[in-house]
Amino acid sequence: MSSSVHDNYEAVIGLEVHAQLLTESKAFAPVSTEFGGSPNTQISPLCLGHPGTLPVLNENLVRYIIKMGLATSCDIARKSIFARKNYFYPDLPKGYQISQYDTPICHDGHIHITTDGIDKKIGITRIHMEEDAGKSIHDQDPFNTLIDLNRAGVPLIEIVSEPDIRSAKEAYEYLKRIKQIVQYLEICDGNMEEGSLRCDANVSVRRKGQEEFGTRTELKNMNSFRNVERAIEFEIERQIDLLESGEKVVQQTLLWDADKMETRMMRSKEEAHDYRYFPEPDIPPVVVTDEMLEDIKEDLPEMPDVRKQRFIDEYDMSDDDAQTLTEDRYLADFYEDVLHHADNPKPVSNLILTEVLRTLNDRSIGIKEFPISEERLAGLVQLREDDKINSSAMTEIYNAMLEEEKTAEELAKEMNLVQVSDTDFLEPIVDEVIEEHPDEVERYRDGKKGLIGFFIGQVMQRSQGKANPEMVREMISDRLAQE
Ligand code: ADP
Ligand code: MG
């Protein structure tokens, strides 16, 4: 497709994001939500939809969603109700899901995203509470689909955006922002690959300048941030191609196939009336009091933007560095924990922004899986700050620390990297180097001052990297200035 045709169109995107909440028990039953239990061990008659059981609302579900609402500038409904969303599916033994319909507890909020340096506000239509269904497992038995109901009744929130998103990249940024917020609030671990954060994307295109929206499709099954971006990109192209060849976009639900990198038909779009929503008769309305709201507000942690600004002010950090460090709440926590052990904001942030991030990236791990503890890392920075090791030794010791549970000090000794600042030790080496390189000495004295690096290098080599380079520099330039 030529880009000029593409330029005549604009994409319109709205996201529906489900976040699995980190409550200890299920939404309406006193049953553990812990991940990884043997199939069908975390269930009760309620999760199985036995007749005569009565749901009891988990108060933390309400507290968590209100936190999310406050963090996204939503209005909080003082009274909202649950609704039954009826549909039949093998992993939903009740035959309905408890959700919210026309009275979501949070509504009319927004978040800010930055794409290519430009700030934009994305509206949030609503955030409501619901419960998860169980899990159908298709790949463990050659003939049958197996059902695990441990997940049935695990609390979810659904965050529905306004159709304010205009590109795949903006959708990606929006999603990253949602992940950041739920992690800061500690209400969801934000892991898309493991399904604790799930995203459906509604996509349509329209000719530029056209007022009304085009027909949309809904994309499902995108289990990573990159896949969301790729799927939307693909779908925008597909729809433009259709319109350009005189065809119509059909409203339907599509599955993203990450291997083939294409979307395919899953089902025609269901309508709200297909679900026969009606008010849940077994749960009283959720009433949010002033007291509760105040209490939750006080409980809100420092949010990303505030933390970023604090890093800039308190640690004298650049905007970019503060942005990188606060993007992931756990990385920001790690940074400040290291500072508790070694109060050296600049060298600590330098080390994290270079070596540590490189390690995380190379190993595709998060800071929680990082093998060096805050205390050990602080020890390494301290050693360098006390001038006991030079910067190349620091890198060597860092690499060793990734493999061995030892302190930087222990490793520095073991690896013979403790820096020598002792002139009695260094002087003979400096003398030797100068004596053996009369030509270089002459050229240096004739004005080729850059050769100082050569002499330092020689001394470093002969001291097996242990010499304090600043000291060596001084000694050499003193020596060569004489005579
Ligand atoms: P449904 O109940 O079918 O899921 P909603 O009206 O609740 O539909 O909208 C779901 C999502 O689709 C919202 O995020 C909304 O912003 C988005 N959306 C609605 N219309 C369009 C459109 N024409 N193009 C793209 N997204 C849309
Ligand atoms: Mg929907």
Side-chain angles (χ1 to χ4, degrees), residues 12-16 125-126 158-164 200-205 213-218 251 269-272 277:
V12 173
I13 301 156
L15 298 187
E16 294 164 274
T125 318
R126 54 186 280 155
E158 179 172 343
I159 307 149
V160 181
S161 87
E162 286 290 300
D164 289 345
D200 299 341
N202 295 268
V203 179
S204 66
V205 298
F213 292 155
T215 306
R216 71 179 144 131
T217 57
E218 186 169 351
Q251 181 159 354
K269 176 80 186 145
E270 71 284 347
E271 301 283 340
Y277 279 102

Side-chain angles (χ1 to χ4, degrees), residues 306-364:
V306 179
R307 194 168 200 183
K308 176 180 162 185
Q309 194 53 49
R310 182 167 65 76
F311 277 23
I312 293 173
D313 299 339
E314 202 172 319
Y315 305 128
D316 199 17
M317 215 177 262
S318 73
D319 196 277
D320 278 354
D321 289 354
Q323 175 67 31
T324 310
L325 280 177
T326 55
E327 210 145 83
D328 176 346
R329 182 217 159 113
Y330 302 112
L331 189 67
D333 286 350
F334 183 86
Y335 171 64
E336 296 206 282
D337 284 345
V338 176
L339 290 189
H340 285 147
H341 298 284
D343 192 17
N344 278 308
K346 192 80 199 159
V348 173
S349 63
N350 282 344
L351 184 63
I352 293 179
L353 289 164
T354 54
E355 299 292 351
V356 176
L357 285 185
R358 190 172 315 137
T359 304
L360 300 184
N361 199 36
D362 287 349
R363 301 187 174 193
S364 301

